[in-house]
């Protein structure tokens, strides 16, 4: 295989002691991640093979993956697992060796194959959702229908093995998948369609709304398969979630990047009571306005909220020459700062916008739907170590239900609060 370390074939016993003094890997039980965080820490990006390797290194039994692979009507390949070293870190390496010609598959072909395979329903759903995200990305790039997308490289057997294996591993663990913001490489790469700019177009489409940043390296750090796995399974992004680490797995990439270890770290841990969700992951934008009408400021706030601001406001100030004005403020994720600054410049009379990074302390929150005499109402529940939880019915849902029932909004709110107290 040409990679350092002790190599294993598909049929071997993965839990045995490895050569070169490597410690035997701990095997986790089914549901080991329930109620916990599965954190994908990806400073060097990620790919499908790195994801499989890290989850196996974390402790997912290889038999779980082999059972899922055996359910697929796909042959002509075998897999290898090995230990390799990256910057002194001993990580697991995973590779799929294709030994027979594989057909090009459309998303329709892959979806039908997954539907007919004897997979666990939850694993099938994860895998289908992952390929759906990838198909939608490819369809957007090539301006064609989703069903007719030809996956080419990512429809080949290695991507099917990666997606189904990752789906089986994550379903085995359970838990809340969180991923760090992803580094984007630059330059160009070769693909079935020819030379493409990096990051690949399908990666950018897959990661719509997900935080990314410039990695400062000419290399494909995030592959389409890796991006689709994150997009389909991660509930949110965090530089490091508040948790107490319990188990760690390392997955190695194929290339030696030189300036950084090419590894993906997966950490399984229990959520901690710390409510600082991320340091420096949010930005406050500000612009001073002394020549904008009230209508213009109100319209800008509405547009900013619609385009992804977490909050927006206006505060009165006295500006130069004693002019009354307002400070237009915005808080947003760091990844959205530039786009929202452009909104401020477009929608107001400002000629400049200030940036500053901020930390956020939040109560953990969840949304539940409750049954009331006026129908189902969404209720936001904010908890944490701050005494009784904050329970707040969604105003828009209450107002809509009140209009239909012909009752005051406060009657619907009272009913929703009473129902929520019983959940």
């Amino acid at each position: 295989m040409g990679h350092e370390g002790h190599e294993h074939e598909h049929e071997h016993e993965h839990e045995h002691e490895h050569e070169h003094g490597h410690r035997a890997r701990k095997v986790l039980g089914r549901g080991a991640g329930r109620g916990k965080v599965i954190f994908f820490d990806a400073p060097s990006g990620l790919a499908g093979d790195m994801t499989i390797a890290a989850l196996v290194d974390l402790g997912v039994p290889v038999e779980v993956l082999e059972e899922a692979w055996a359910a697929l009507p796909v042959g002509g390949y075998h897999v290898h697992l090995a230990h390799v070293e990256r910057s002194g870190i001993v990580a697991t390496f995973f590779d799929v060796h294709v030994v027979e010609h594989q057909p090009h598959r459309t998303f329709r072909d892959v979806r039908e194959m997954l539907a007919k395979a004897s997979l666990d329903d939850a694993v099938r759903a994860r895998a289908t959702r992952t390929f759906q995200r990838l198909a939608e990305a490819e369809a957007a790039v090539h301006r064609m229908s989703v069903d007719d997308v030809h996956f080419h490289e990512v429809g080949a057997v290695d991507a099917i093995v990666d997606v189904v294996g990752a789906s089986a591993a994550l379903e085995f663990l359970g838990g809340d998948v969180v991923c760090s913001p992803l580094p984007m490489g630059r330059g160009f790469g070769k693909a079935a369609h020819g030379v493409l700019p990096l990051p690949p177009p399908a990666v950018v489409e897959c990661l719509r709304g997900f935080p990314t940043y410039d990695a400062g390296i000419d290399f494909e750090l995030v592959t389409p398969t890796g991006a689709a796995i994150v997009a389909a399974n991660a509930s949110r992004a965090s530089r490091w979630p508040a948790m107490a680490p319990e188990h760690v797995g390392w997955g190695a990439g194929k290339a030696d990047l030189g300036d950084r270890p090419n590894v993906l770290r997966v950490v399984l841990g229990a959520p901690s009571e710390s409510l600082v969700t991320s340091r420096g992951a949010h930005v406050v934008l500000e612009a001073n306005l002394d020549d904008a009408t009230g209508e213009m400021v109100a319209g800008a706030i509405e547009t900013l909220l619609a385009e992804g601001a977490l909050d927006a406001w206006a505060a009165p100030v006295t500006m130069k020459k004693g002019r009354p004005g307002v400070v237009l403020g915005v808080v947003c994720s760091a990844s959205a700062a530039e786009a929202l600054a452009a909104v401020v410049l477009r929608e107001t009379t400002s000629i400049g916008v200030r940036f500053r990074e901020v930390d956020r302390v939040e109560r953990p929150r969840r949304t539940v739907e409750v049954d009331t005499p006026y129908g189902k109402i969404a209720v936001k529940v904010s908890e944490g170590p701050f005494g009784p939880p904050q329970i707040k019915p969604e105003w828009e849902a209450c107002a809509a239900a009140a209009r239909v029932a012909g009752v005051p909004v406060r009657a619907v709110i009272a009913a929703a609060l009473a129902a929520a107290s019983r959940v």
Side-chain angles (χ1 to χ4, degrees):
M1 186 167 65
H3 297 280
E4 66 270 40
H6 185 56
E7 183 177 301
H8 294 275
E9 296 289 341
H10 182 67
E11 297 79 14
H12 77 297
E13 290 295 328
H14 297 265
E15 284 72 39
H16 290 175
E17 192 83 24
H18 293 275
E19 292 180 358
H20 310 305
H22 296 163
R23 187 177 63 185
R25 180 178 57 81
K26 178 178 178 60
V27 177
L28 300 176
R30 183 173 295 276
R34 288 193 188 122
K36 299 180 181 179
V37 175
I38 304 170
F39 177 50
F40 282 36
D41 182 26
S44 302
L46 80 171
D49 56 352
M50 294 171 73
T51 303
I52 294 289
L55 289 168
V56 168
D57 201 66
L58 181 72
V60 175
V62 180
E63 290 80 7
V64 170
L65 283 68
E66 291 173 341
E67 181 181 349
W69 294 330
L72 299 171
V74 176
Y77 74 94
H78 54 268
V79 303
H80 293 264
L81 284 162
H83 273 153
V84 299
E85 187 173 306
R86 298 282 187 263
S87 298
I89 299 168
V90 177
T92 293
F93 178 86
F94 175 76
D95 197 22
V96 179
H97 284 198
V98 180
V99 294
E100 294 179 8
H101 173 74
Q102 299 291 326
H104 283 173
R105 298 177 174 93
T106 65
F107 174 57
R108 181 187 294 107
D109 297 330
V110 173
R111 188 181 61 226
E112 291 176 355
M113 177 186 68
L114 294 173
K116 294 175 182 176
S118 55
L119 291 165
D120 176 84
D121 287 342
V123 173
R124 187 194 339 273
R126 281 185 188 265
T128 303
R129 186 168 69 242
T130 303
F131 271 111
Q132 175 81 32
R133 188 65 177 253
L134 190 52
E136 290 172 352
E138 294 281 0
V141 172
H142 301 299
R143 309 294 175 91
M144 62 189 302
S145 73
V146 172
D147 276 354
D148 294 332
V149 164
H150 279 269
F151 283 136
H152 299 290
E153 295 95 338
V154 295
V157 66
D158 55 341
I160 294 172
V161 168
D162 290 345
V163 169
V164 172
S167 299
L170 291 173
E171 192 60 36
F172 174 84
L173 289 173
D176 180 24
V177 179
V178 179
C179 185
S180 63
L182 291 175
M184 296 288 101
R186 305 173 298 196
F188 298 91
K190 291 184 179 179
H193 294 287
V195 177
L196 295 175
L198 299 179
V203 168
V204 178
E205 291 288 342
C206 267
L207 295 177
R208 281 182 179 269
F210 196 89
T212 63
Y213 63 94
D214 176 20
I217 183 174
D218 289 354
F219 190 79
E220 183 181 358
L221 295 175
V222 178
T223 67
T225 305
I229 290 171
V230 167
N233 292 282
S235 65
R236 66 188 188 280
S238 175
R239 292 187 178 180
W240 190 275
M243 66 174 177
E246 296 176 358
H247 303 282
V248 180
W250 295 92
K254 292 183 173 67
D256 182 359
L257 299 181
D259 69 334
R260 69 198 74 192
N262 189 10
V263 290
L264 167 67
R265 174 166 52 183
V266 175
V267 183
L268 177 64
S272 73
E273 292 299 326
S274 171
L275 301 181
V276 179
T277 57
S278 49
R279 293 196 176 277
H282 295 85
V283 169
V284 168
L285 313 177
E286 290 181 339
N288 289 11
L289 306 170
D290 65 0
D291 56 351
T293 66
E295 292 91 345
M296 181 184 292
V297 174
I301 290 174
E302 183 178 356
T303 302
L304 287 162
L305 293 172
E307 297 199 17
L310 299 173
D311 200 1
W313 61 92
V317 293
T318 301
M319 298 177 58
K320 62 184 179 182
K321 300 181 181 179
R323 296 172 184 166
V326 298
V327 176
L328 177 63
V330 182
V331 63
C332 62
S333 65
S335 62
E338 290 189 11
L340 291 177
V343 173
V344 173
L345 294 173
R346 184 186 76 220
E347 298 292 334
T348 74
T349 55
S350 175
I351 59 174
V353 181
R354 300 185 294 276
F355 289 65
R356 71 173 184 274
E357 286 190 350
V358 295
D359 299 338
R360 292 224 311 174
V361 179
E362 302 176 1
R363 277 189 172 219
R365 66 194 68 180
R366 58 191 174 93
T367 299
V368 297
E369 265 197 350
V370 297
D371 290 311
T372 76
Y374 310 104
K376 289 185 179 296
I377 300 293
V379 177
K380 186 180 294 180
V381 181
S382 301
E383 297 166 310
F386 288 110
Q390 298 278 3
I391 301 174
K392 183 178 180 181
E394 293 290 353
W395 173 264
E396 290 81 4
C398 292
R403 285 194 297 270
V404 172
V407 299
V409 176
R410 64 177 182 271
V412 181
I413 292 175
L417 286 171
S421 68
R422 298 190 292 268
V423 174

